[in-house]
Amino acid sequence: MAETKEKSLSDEKPKPRVRPIVRLGIFLISHSFHFSVVCCTAGVLALFLLPVLAKNTYISENALMPGSASPMLSNQHVSDGNRLVKDLTNPNSKSSETGIESHKIIAQYMLDLGAEVSFHKFHPQMNQFHPLHFFSSPDSGKIQENYSCSSYGINTVGIIRAPHGDGKEAIVLVTPYNALKSGFGEALSLGIAYSVFSLLTQVTWLAKDIIWLVADSQYGEYAAVAAWLREYQTPKFSSLSTPNAEMCPDVNNLFELKGHSISGSKFSNSFRRAGTMASALVLKVRDQNEQFEDTISIYAEASNGQMPNLDLINVVNYLAVHRQGLRVNVEKLWSLLNSSWLKSLGEIFESLAKVAKSLYPKWKFGIPATEYVEGTATLASSLYYQALGVPTGPHGAFRDYQVDAITLEISPKFSLDKVWRNDILLRGGRLIEGVIRSVNNLLEKFHQSFFLYLLTSPSKFVSVGVYMIAFALLIAPLPMVAASLYVDANSSSNCSKGDSSTPSAITDTDEHSIAIRSWRWLNSAKLVFIVHLWGAIVSLLPYFISQIPDCSPTTSFMIWVLLSILSLLTLNSVLASPLACAKATQEKEWALVKSVTISSVFIGLGLMSVINFATAEIGALLMVPMCLLAQPLKLDVRAGTLRSFCRMICNLVLGHIAFPPAAFFLLKGMLDGFGNANVGDFWMWVESLWAWNSATYLFIVEVTYIFSHG
Amino acid sequence: MVLLQRPHILLLLIDTHQFLQCWIAFGSANEEGQQQEEFSEELLVKPLPDHKLLAHFHFQSSAPPSTSNGCHHHLFPKAISQLVQKFRVKEMELSFTQGRWNYESWGGFDPISSSNAKPPGVELWAVFDVPQHHIDASWKNLTHTLSGLFCASINFLESTATYSTPEWSFPPASGNVRYGTLPCEAVCTENLTPWLKLLPCRDKAAIALLLDRPSLYRGFYHSQRLHLTSTESSSEGIDSGIILEQTLTVVLQPNSERAIEVHASEKHVQPSWSLSSIFGKQVSGRCVLAKSSSVYLLLDRGLVAELKFPNKENGKSAANGLTSENFWSNPSFELSVNPDRIFLEESSSHSKSLSILYMFQVEKYSESEPFDIGLMWKVPVAWLCQQTPLHASRFFMGSGNERGAIAISLKSTQFTEGFMSANSKDGSCELRVDVFQVVPWYVKVYFHSLRVFVDQQPRAVSDFIEKIHVSPSKDKMSPGVMEVVLKLPCRVNTAALTIEFDKGFLRIDEYPPDANQGFDIPSAIISFPNFHASMVFLEDDSLNRSPLLSKFQEKCPVMSYTEVLLVPLTTPDFSMPYNVITIKCTVFALYFGSLLNVLQRRVAEEERFLKAKAAKKTGRLPLLLSKLSAKLRGSGINQD
């Protein structure tokens, strides 16, 4: 760039033609302001267009063949299931304090069917925060010595071996069950699972083993399933804690009794396995009733925005809608449903589509406004949960082991009298049977359909190729602006030099100084690095704070704030001289600093979009305007024009909004009202996030750091 | 055409019939000679503890050595004898299996389970009597021949990456063994039909008549096996010819429809069955070519102990008096046909109770009066089959596409605890366990990472492993083989071996069509050389001994197979090559285009051309355009 400039200045020689691609680049860089405005608005607009662009789902894997066989689940099996429900809800069975009785009942029922049964005893293991384990595979947890006899859960596991199968693969059916305070819904979910299980012991078409896991949810559904999976996938052969646990009287009692009452070797207290898990279904029945229709909710988001294969959702959706007449629901952001601006936006899109259709009848892309609003609400929640990185149910534990899993939650319509209960058992059971049969048909693991997608309704999705456009548009201005800033910073100092010296004499020293100047960005890179470092320290602090015993969330949050300020001061003092130097020249060099910042943000966002798209998208929505608008306040104040004043206001507002605690309070305030917001809540939220090893957490660092520039 | 062909078929039929008669005549004429071709058929039925029924068909043909008898065969299948002669096979075993043998409830200690429980799919091993450097060639030819004979893809075993050479842990301990498995081979009637063709009566008469395809393949376990022993070419003195042993083992559920309806109280009663209810057919008459055809009913040790026969103490005397009704009219069950003979097991040190064998001779029955044995249970009986000393299971550990670990876990079964302590001399008894594991090359096992856990404590490998032989895999060349001899204390509760591996990458053309299914790791063989599964029955005449019973008497080590594992490997998106080609072509086009451009361009000439252009008078429109472009360019740069 500089060279061409000099050449053009030095003489009027006819210029050699500049290559068109370079010319285009120069053009874009020189018009970076307009370009960035256009791109950003287009990006946001594309994001809002996604519900319109969503395609209908289709079953991609031919082997699944959902619904091609008529369901075999009969009233006989339903009455079997009913019997179990009755036995479980019987007050006699709940007399035991530990809830072991109901586990025994379930185990007895499984044994009567001829299944192999085992109990899996586990100690609830809290999610430990490992700052450096964000992307590493789940390991077998630490051995904890101080287990007490009182705190353990018991998973009951029943396995049906496929009669003709070779036992290489297995399908898992999970029903969370809390023996201590189980609602009727949980018992009903067990009833459904049992009726399916009793059917599956008799069928001949089974090619994969079936594992029914009754997960003890008294320490949380996720913890129980995760503990079982940990034992399944990464067992510890050397366990020091086992002898301790064996001493607990209750557990031994449980195993002994079973051994006595059941003849045969079907029962054992050792851990039983089947082959590689092909997929998993988590079945729940909600206690409170839905008002209009029997609905079934699908939860699919696993940790870090990972999704199960779309085919699994398709199968469930197809069978539920077309075979069992259930309404299928996907999580929505309910607050968005009633927003009027969204509705009007939908109407605009609808009328646009009408106009387009009148112009050319083959253009059919419009959807009704109500559908658009619903789609947007679903999309928003899909984005939110993927970005948050916290699994929406126990199925999340499976995804950590590359097993496709979803949670199905059935919410029945009426009060659960006898007829209705049978109906729900029958329909729910047939749905589960159909899904299991489809997965059983699979020869290969799920691979045909999408893994990267966003749902806008149970039967509509946006694939990665489409939603990436919105993201690309959003972050496209960043490198342009960075380049233009860099060129600006270089050329402005260049010009000042060029004025003083005669243009014809380009000496060696001058070239040398150019070389030095071209490395000047390293200075600002150092500054950026220091702030990044501070951000990393701030983000690692909670791990150490959480080690302090007996801390209320509020105090620990306070400690966090204090420590982070302290660390900033320390960093400042340790690296005082270079920082001070940088600060002195910052007013001139702010453009260079900004350019380095923007390019690092660009790289960060690009990488994040590969890891977790939703996080990157939301991050880009927040950070891109902030990056583009950021300007030192002093300069704005000095300029004193209306435009700079506006920009300053924007900066301040954006900076505050994007600061994570502020953003959290704003969101919470919007959702719940400002009254009950509390500083401690933020701590809880952060704690929950890092407990899930969320990538969001990394992101907060980034945002924090940007703020420090604002 | 059809009309024309008909007389031929008729003629053929007559021909074969005559030929058959000739055969029989020839066979009888040759009877004076010391050796002749023999064929015998037997069926053994055994109730299993989990309400199922085991049917074990045993067909044995033997041919005298060709030196004494020439190459002509009367009964013995020609295909097999040619195969033996051509490839100089000393011993061979081929098995087709569908389903899994349930070691826990069907037992693993008796001769039937330890020699007939096979891994799913195809398993083939063979011992050759050829020089070392010819073995691989013989193996390749053998696999191709068998593949043609049995309509199976056994020919996939020809590549060196699929078969292995066990050194010493594999039972027929010899250096000339080749061993290969195809775990994902589907087994069906197309494999059974050629197998039946080897029988002289096919499935047209006697016991083989029971082989009704639908009922066979409805079963829970189905394994057809072909075992071949030949001393034909051995240098040793004894020359007994070729013995072909064909067995078919099925586990069936007797009248499963009724089992659904029975109430919970009746669930513990074993279902009653008869041959016709299980197979849908009855045995009518014998195969005229068979030396003997008989049906056995075996009540194993555990069951006999439960049944409490009235005079168990003086069992031997009862066995001698075959008419004694004590053994077949028991208060707990009833047989529909009176057995011709009853055998009692010779008392052994292994267990207190003895198994009982009822024998029925099919010869007596004819088409008008078919043979159909049935068993009616009157009281619920529950018993356990004798299990292997340690129950072995194998599984994967870890997750992800990068690495993992294979774990073989051994758990003691309480059943054998008693006699193990009896075996120990002075408290320092040891249990020897042989582990033979073949791993395909794309699962790159690190043998140094072998770890041993005994009773949930990590132990030093050298403490428990007596002998180990490892041949590491070579990429695309040979699989990894691990043979381990473990010496465990008798009192061991659990033991586990873990070994880590990395998952390899395959080239795109090495993936099978169903690559996303995952790749199979064949079963490991766990054998217990200190224990021998044998059943010795007291017999009067050792001359007329049935092949099945003599097979039972052989001392074969107790063996069990672990599960087949499915390892998911990283698979490429198979539409990727297309994308890669497209991108590559684009890049190449861009590269060569610009390269040619640079090579062709002459800078000085271009400048001269530009100058000439500027000097020349141009029209108004191009001038205007060039001015505009210059302005645009100028403004663009000025803004920097």
Side-chain angles (χ1 to χ4, degrees):
Chain A
M1 269 307 292
E3 274 172 336
T4 52
K5 179 108 190 164
E6 274 155 30
K7 261 185 194 161
S8 68
L9 282 173
S10 57
D11 54 5
E12 305 308 316
K13 246 201 295 184
K15 277 186 300 175
R17 241 166 223 283
V18 187
R19 310 290 303 283
I21 195 157
V22 177
R23 245 193 293 168
L24 184 72
I26 292 166
F27 178 75
L28 284 181
I29 287 169
S30 56
H31 294 85
S32 63
F33 176 71
H34 305 284
F35 177 68
S36 52
V37 168
V38 169
C39 270
C40 279
T41 41
V44 175
L45 204 68
L47 188 65
F48 280 105
L49 262 177
L50 286 185
V52 181
L53 298 174
K55 283 188 284 185
N56 282 328
T57 54
Y58 55 94
I59 286 157
S60 183
E61 171 72 85
N62 288 329
L64 282 169
M65 296 192 289
S68 58
S70 52
M72 293 165 76
L73 194 87
S74 65
N75 286 320
Q76 171 73 31
H77 304 115
V78 168
S79 66
D80 280 354
N82 240 329
R83 207 150 41 83
L84 177 67
V85 174
K86 261 182 216 151
D87 276 4
L88 284 178
T89 46
N90 201 358
N92 298 344
S93 68
K94 285 189 175 177
S95 58
S96 154
E97 279 183 20
T98 48
I100 276 177
E101 279 307 314
S102 39
H103 282 287
K104 279 184 186 165
I105 290 172
I106 297 166
Q108 190 60 52
Y109 267 82
M110 286 180 184
L111 276 172
D112 287 345
L113 290 177
E116 292 175 13
V117 182
S118 66
F119 287 116
H120 169 235
K121 179 166 49 68
F122 67 96
H123 294 274
Q125 185 180 4
M126 288 301 118
N127 271 307
Q128 293 292 326
F129 175 58
H130 304 290
L132 301 175
H133 282 195
F134 280 118
F135 305 114
S136 63
S137 59
D139 55 344
S140 59
K142 277 189 289 181
I143 299 168
Q144 292 179 11
E145 287 80 20
N146 51 353
Y147 285 140
S148 60
C149 281
S150 55
S151 69
Y152 64 88
I154 296 167
N155 290 334
T156 315
V157 185
I159 299 178
I160 304 174
R161 307 279 175 193
H164 307 293
D166 43 13
K168 292 189 289 198
E169 287 178 283
I171 303 169
V172 188
L173 181 63
V174 183
T175 47
Y177 178 65
N178 189 348
L180 291 184
K181 46 171 198 289
S182 71
F184 187 70
E186 279 189 337
L188 204 61
S189 73
L190 282 178
I192 293 174
Y194 178 76
S195 56
V196 175
F197 205 63
S198 69
L199 168 76
L200 292 177
T201 48
Q202 293 155 9
V203 294
T204 49
W205 44 257
L206 215 56
K208 297 180 166 80
D209 293 352
I210 305 291
I211 306 176
W212 178 19
L213 169 68
V214 180
D216 191 349
S217 62
Q218 54 177 317
Y219 300 104
E221 293 163 358
Y222 186 92
V225 176
W228 180 77
L229 273 171
R230 212 179 302 124
E231 183 65 30
Y232 195 99
Q233 297 279 10
T234 55
K236 300 186 292 285
F237 292 108
S238 58
S239 60
L240 300 168
S241 61
T242 317
N244 292 338
E246 298 285 292
M247 282 170 205
C248 305
D250 265 345
V251 184
N252 278 348
N253 191 17
L254 174 74
F255 290 145
E256 272 170 26
L257 261 181
K258 283 287 122 182
H260 270 290
S261 63
I262 291 122
S263 62
S265 54
K266 290 277 185 187
F267 174 82
S268 74
N269 52 17
S270 61
F271 195 83
R272 280 181 186 274
R273 286 186 176 77
T276 313
M277 284 179 261
S279 81
L281 289 173
V282 183
L283 179 70
K284 292 200 265 187
V285 177
R286 198 184 284 172
D287 269 330
Q288 63 264 48
N289 308 323
E290 201 72 14
Q291 50 278 34
F292 308 116
E293 259 180 301
D294 293 335
T295 53
I296 179 163
S297 315
I298 299 177
Y299 299 91
E301 287 87 0
S303 59
N304 256 334
Q306 298 182 79
M307 298 291 277
N309 197 295
L310 188 56
D311 264 348
L312 189 59
I313 296 174
N314 289 346
V315 168
V316 172
N317 181 45
Y318 178 86
L319 287 173
V321 173
H322 297 287
R323 291 289 181 275
Q324 304 308 325
L326 295 163
R327 207 165 65 86
V328 178
N329 226 342
V330 188
E331 188 82 343
K332 288 190 190 88
L333 273 190
W334 296 101
S335 54
L336 277 182
L337 275 184
N338 300 324
S339 64
S340 52
W341 62 274
L342 212 56
K343 201 171 272 175
S344 52
L345 194 64
E347 275 157 9
I348 291 169
F349 281 134
E350 195 182 350
S351 52
L352 269 180
K354 263 180 199 158
V355 171
K357 200 178 173 185
S358 65
L359 285 177
Y360 186 64
K362 275 191 181 168
W363 284 347
K364 279 182 255 177
F365 54 79
I367 55 169
T370 50
E371 205 175 300
Y372 175 80
V373 173
E374 270 191 22
T376 316
T378 317
L379 184 76
S381 92
S382 193
L383 267 176
Y384 172 71
Y385 284 112
Q386 285 190 27
L388 208 58
V390 180
T392 47
H395 60 268
F398 285 97
R399 193 62 235 178
D400 293 342
Y401 298 94
Q402 283 86 43
V403 179
D404 292 296
I406 49 172
T407 298
L408 304 176
E409 193 178 51
I410 299 173
S411 358
K413 179 166 62 171
F414 285 153
S415 61
L416 295 148
D417 59 335
K418 185 100 168 91
V419 183
W420 261 99
R421 191 202 291 180
N422 277 348
D423 185 63
I424 277 299
L425 278 175
L426 189 69
R427 291 208 283 170
R430 283 188 170 170
L431 173 66
I432 302 292
E433 182 209 338
V435 177
I436 285 181
R437 189 155 192 176
S438 281
V439 177
N440 181 63
N441 283 344
L442 273 185
L443 282 175
E444 308 176 73
K445 66 180 185 215
F446 279 111
H447 71 284
Q448 282 274 1
S449 197
F450 294 89
F451 282 100
L452 302 169
Y453 57 91
L454 295 167
L455 286 176
T456 62
S457 87
S459 60
K460 283 198 160 186
F461 75 106
V462 186
S463 80
V464 58
V466 177
Y467 67 60
M468 265 307 195
I469 295 173
F471 179 71
L473 280 173
L474 205 57
I475 64 164
L478 292 182
M480 297 300 161
V481 171
S484 100
L485 279 173
Y486 179 73
V487 168
D488 248 4
N490 260 1
S491 63
S492 64
S493 53
N494 217 10
C495 280
S496 60
K497 245 204 172 108
D499 288 340
S500 61
S501 63
T502 51
S504 56
I506 302 167
T507 55
D508 279 354
T509 52
D510 215 23
E511 268 177 20
H512 186 66
S513 68
I514 285 171
I516 289 177
R517 230 180 296 129
S518 64
W519 288 106
R520 217 173 32 183
W521 61 271
L522 271 181
N523 239 343
S524 30
K526 192 172 71 184
L527 177 71
V528 172
F529 175 72
I530 288 167
V531 181
H532 264 281
L533 195 68
W534 177 66
I537 289 171
V538 168
S539 67
L540 290 187
L541 277 176
Y543 173 62
F544 300 105
I545 295 170
S546 69
Q547 305 291 328
I548 305 169
D550 309 326
C551 241
S552 76
T554 317
T555 50
S556 44
F557 180 70
M558 287 305 170
I559 294 173
W560 189 21
V561 170
L562 281 177
L563 277 178
S564 32
I565 291 169
L566 204 71
S567 66
L568 180 64
L569 291 178
T570 338
L571 266 178
N572 218 343
S573 61
V574 168
L575 304 159
S577 50
L579 213 64
C581 166
K583 279 225 168 101
T585 51
Q586 203 182 16
E587 277 176 38
K588 284 171 197 165
E589 302 225 328
W590 70 269
L592 214 52
V593 174
K594 188 178 167 185
S595 124
V596 172
T597 311
I598 287 176
S599 41
S600 75
V601 166
F602 174 68
I603 293 167
L605 283 175
L607 287 179
M608 184 55 80
S609 74
V610 178
I611 297 162
N612 186 346
F613 167 77
T615 313
E617 174 74 48
I618 291 177
L621 279 178
L622 284 174
M623 300 210 313
V624 168
M626 204 158 65
C627 286
L628 296 181
L629 289 172
Q631 190 147 3
L633 295 180
K634 278 184 208 162
L635 283 184
D636 273 345
V637 171
R638 221 175 295 154
T641 58
L642 185 68
R643 190 174 149 202
S644 62
F645 184 70
C646 283
R647 190 162 58 190
M648 191 174 79
I649 297 293
C650 276
N651 263 328
L652 283 176
V653 169
L654 264 175
H656 279 106
I657 286 177
F659 188 54
F664 176 73
F665 287 128
L666 269 180
L667 265 180
K668 201 164 173 59
M670 275 197 287
L671 297 177
D672 308 339
F674 282 95
N676 50 5
N678 184 12
V679 192
D681 283 347
F682 180 66
W683 175 259
M684 302 273 268
W685 186 66
V686 171
E687 203 163 36
S688 75
L689 276 188
W690 54 246
W692 296 106
N693 287 350
S694 167
T696 316
Y697 194 68
L698 282 182
F699 222 75
I700 289 167
V701 184
E702 198 92 347
V703 179
T704 316
Y705 143 71
I706 295 288
F707 173 69
S708 68
H709 271 272
Chain B
M1 279 304 280
V2 178
L3 276 173
L4 266 173
Q5 272 181 358
R6 222 176 234 169
H8 286 277
I9 295 168
L10 212 79
L11 231 152
L12 212 86
L13 272 174
I14 294 165
D15 267 5
T16 45
H17 190 242
Q18 280 175 345
F19 193 57
L20 214 76
Q21 280 181 339
C22 279
W23 260 7
I24 297 164
F26 191 77
S28 57
N30 209 22
E31 217 155 89
E32 287 83 48
Q34 58 189 46
Q35 280 180 321
Q36 67 213 17
E37 293 184 359
E38 275 177 3
F39 172 71
S40 66
E41 49 177 10
E42 279 143 313
L43 166 65
L44 183 131
V45 187
K46 178 184 162 188
L48 292 172
D50 56 347
H51 298 201
K52 296 191 179 74
L53 190 75
L54 173 95
H56 176 67
F57 295 84
H58 183 104
F59 305 99
Q60 184 165 322
S61 345
S62 60
S66 57
T67 46
S68 64
N69 225 8
C71 292
H72 191 66
H73 293 288
H74 317 297
L75 293 174
F76 197 82
K78 196 178 171 189
I80 299 294
S81 74
Q82 281 178 342
L83 183 140
V84 169
Q85 275 158 18
K86 184 131 198 235
F87 306 121
R88 302 177 72 77
V89 180
K90 221 164 152 189
E91 196 173 358
M92 186 194 91
E93 187 171 280
L94 173 68
S95 68
F96 296 89
T97 310
Q98 189 191 60
R100 292 159 282 172
W101 182 264
N102 188 343
Y103 284 97
E104 279 178 61
S105 48
W106 303 341
F109 207 88
D110 48 333
I112 298 176
S113 58
S114 62
S115 63
N116 287 298
K118 289 283 168 191
V122 169
E123 188 201 44
L124 173 69
W125 59 261
V127 187
F128 295 94
D129 189 34
V130 290
Q132 279 290 337
H133 57 278
H134 283 305
I135 291 178
D136 286 326
S138 300
W139 168 266
K140 267 175 205 173
N141 289 328
L142 178 70
T143 53
H144 277 272
T145 314
L146 288 175
S147 153
L149 260 180
F150 290 102
C151 298
S153 42
I154 307 174
N155 55 321
F156 284 123
L157 287 175
E158 76 163 337
S159 84
T160 50
T162 51
Y163 68 88
S164 57
T165 313
E167 282 296 316
W168 36 260
S169 83
F170 200 66
S174 165
N176 299 349
V177 188
R178 292 291 180 275
Y179 173 86
T181 53
L182 294 170
C184 50
E185 177 79 10
V187 178
C188 204
T189 39
E190 61 182 13
N191 306 119
L192 183 67
T193 312
W195 184 84
L196 282 172
K197 269 188 186 171
L198 303 178
L199 303 176
C201 295
R202 307 216 167 161
D203 55 344
K204 298 286 181 265
I207 290 169
L209 202 62
L210 291 175
L211 294 170
D212 173 46
R213 310 299 193 283
S215 45
L216 278 188
Y217 288 99
R218 208 186 294 137
F220 288 77
Y221 176 80
H222 171 274
S223 171
Q224 75 185 65
R225 199 169 66 100
L226 183 130
H227 188 100
L228 191 68
T229 346
S230 148
T231 47
E232 183 106 356
S233 46
S234 70
S235 47
E236 294 126 47
I238 315 130
D239 207 2
S240 61
I242 314 168
I243 295 171
L244 173 68
E245 189 189 311
Q246 286 173 270
T247 63
L248 179 74
T249 312
V250 277
V251 175
L252 300 163
Q253 175 91 58
N255 44 349
S256 51
E257 319 83 46
R258 233 206 62 187
I260 304 164
E261 291 155 21
V262 291
H263 300 292
S265 57
E266 281 179 40
K267 264 195 174 163
H268 297 291
V269 183
Q270 289 268 338
S272 305
W273 51 267
S274 68
L275 280 188
S276 56
S277 76
I278 301 165
F279 294 106
K281 283 179 182 172
Q282 289 168 322
V283 180
S284 54
R286 58 182 291 228
C287 170
V288 281
L289 298 172
K291 195 182 111 197
S292 69
S293 58
S294 37
V295 175
Y296 298 92
L297 171 67
L298 178 71
L299 305 182
D300 70 354
R301 292 160 191 159
L303 177 58
V304 172
E306 281 298 317
L307 288 178
K308 293 186 187 70
F309 283 97
N311 50 353
K312 210 168 78 182
E313 293 77 29
N314 50 358
K316 270 185 188 172
S317 60
N320 289 338
L322 287 175
T323 46
S324 162
E325 295 215 337
N326 288 332
F327 281 95
W328 53 275
S329 68
N330 192 276
S332 45
F333 70 93
E334 194 181 328
L335 286 176
S336 67
V337 184
N338 287 1
D340 295 311
R341 287 174 70 185
I342 298 170
F343 297 106
L344 251 189
E345 197 190 358
E346 221 166 50
S347 57
S348 65
S349 58
H350 283 196
S351 78
K352 276 171 263 172
S353 56
L354 307 166
S355 43
I356 296 175
L357 194 69
Y358 299 87
M359 183 183 148
F360 306 88
Q361 267 165 344
V362 185
E363 283 96 338
K364 294 193 299 185
Y365 301 88
S366 63
E367 268 183 59
S368 54
E369 190 202 350
F371 171 73
D372 186 14
I373 174 192
L375 186 77
M376 270 276 279
W377 291 99
K378 295 175 192 162
V379 255
V381 205
W383 76 99
L384 285 176
C385 278
Q386 200 171 6
Q387 295 185 15
T388 50
L390 296 174
H391 176 70
S393 69
R394 191 179 62 162
F395 50 90
F396 272 130
M397 287 163 48
S399 66
N401 282 325
E402 199 182 349
R403 60 177 73 90
I406 301 174
I408 297 175
S409 100
L410 304 163
K411 281 198 188 79
S412 90
T413 49
Q414 281 89 27
F415 201 81
T416 43
E417 224 166 54
F419 87 90
M420 257 196 300
S421 59
N423 269 11
S424 67
K425 278 123 201 165
D426 47 344
S428 66
C429 92
E430 280 188 330
L431 176 64
R432 186 180 151 179
V433 184
D434 287 11
V435 180
F436 172 63
Q437 167 80 68
V438 180
V439 186
W441 65 267
Y442 38 78
V443 174
K444 290 169 179 153
V445 171
Y446 296 118
F447 290 102
H448 73 273
S449 64
L450 182 72
R451 285 191 292 164
V452 181
F453 298 88
V454 176
D455 286 330
Q456 299 188 326
Q457 299 294 325
R459 296 300 191 88
V461 169
S462 53
D463 288 358
F464 291 96
I465 290 183
E466 194 185 61
K467 206 157 85 164
I468 183 165
H469 171 253
V470 159
S471 70
S473 62
K474 279 181 220 142
D475 275 9
K476 291 153 194 155
M477 285 295 293
S478 67
V481 182
M482 184 178 77
E483 294 167 79
V484 182
V485 173
L486 282 170
K487 281 269 176 162
L488 299 170
C490 287
R491 292 274 163 215
V492 69
N493 267 326
T494 58
L497 289 176
T498 63
I499 188 159
E500 287 165 20
F501 64 83
D502 269 1
K503 296 181 182 177
F505 282 109
L506 276 73
R507 273 209 308 267
I508 186 118
D509 56 338
E510 284 165 347
Y511 283 100
D514 53 351
N516 278 295
Q517 191 190 3
F519 292 80
D520 296 308
I521 294 188
S523 301
I525 304 175
I526 315 286
S527 55
F528 305 92
N530 293 354
F531 298 90
H532 297 286
S534 64
M535 272 194 230
V536 184
F537 290 96
L538 297 166
E539 280 180 272
D540 316 332
D541 44 350
S542 54
L543 286 172
N544 206 3
R545 166 165 293 179
S546 97
L548 180 64
L549 296 191
S550 52
K551 188 84 198 156
F552 280 179
Q553 289 187 10
E554 278 173 22
K555 279 202 162 189
C556 58
V558 174
M559 256 172 52
S560 66
Y561 287 86
T562 61
E563 300 92 335
V564 175
L565 290 181
L566 187 73
V567 44
L569 289 187
T570 38
T571 43
D573 180 0
F574 287 104
S575 65
M576 211 57 193
Y578 170 73
N579 299 343
V580 170
I581 288 168
T582 331
I583 287 179
K584 241 185 199 170
C585 289
T586 317
V587 169
F588 270 124
L590 281 175
Y591 172 71
F592 281 114
S594 50
L595 193 72
L596 282 176
N597 195 1
V598 168
L599 286 176
Q600 275 189 332
R601 173 172 291 176
R602 290 177 196 171
V603 181
E605 212 166 280
E606 198 171 328
E607 275 172 17
R608 215 180 307 132
F609 173 72
L610 275 175
K611 260 181 196 166
K613 208 176 165 189
K616 226 168 56 179
K617 283 284 172 193
T618 45
R620 273 173 76 184
L621 195 68
L623 196 74
L624 224 121
L625 270 176
S626 65
K627 262 186 186 170
L628 198 74
S629 69
K631 217 170 219 175
L632 266 175
R633 209 174 307 144
S635 70
I637 291 166
N638 283 342
Q639 248 196 3
D640 289 1

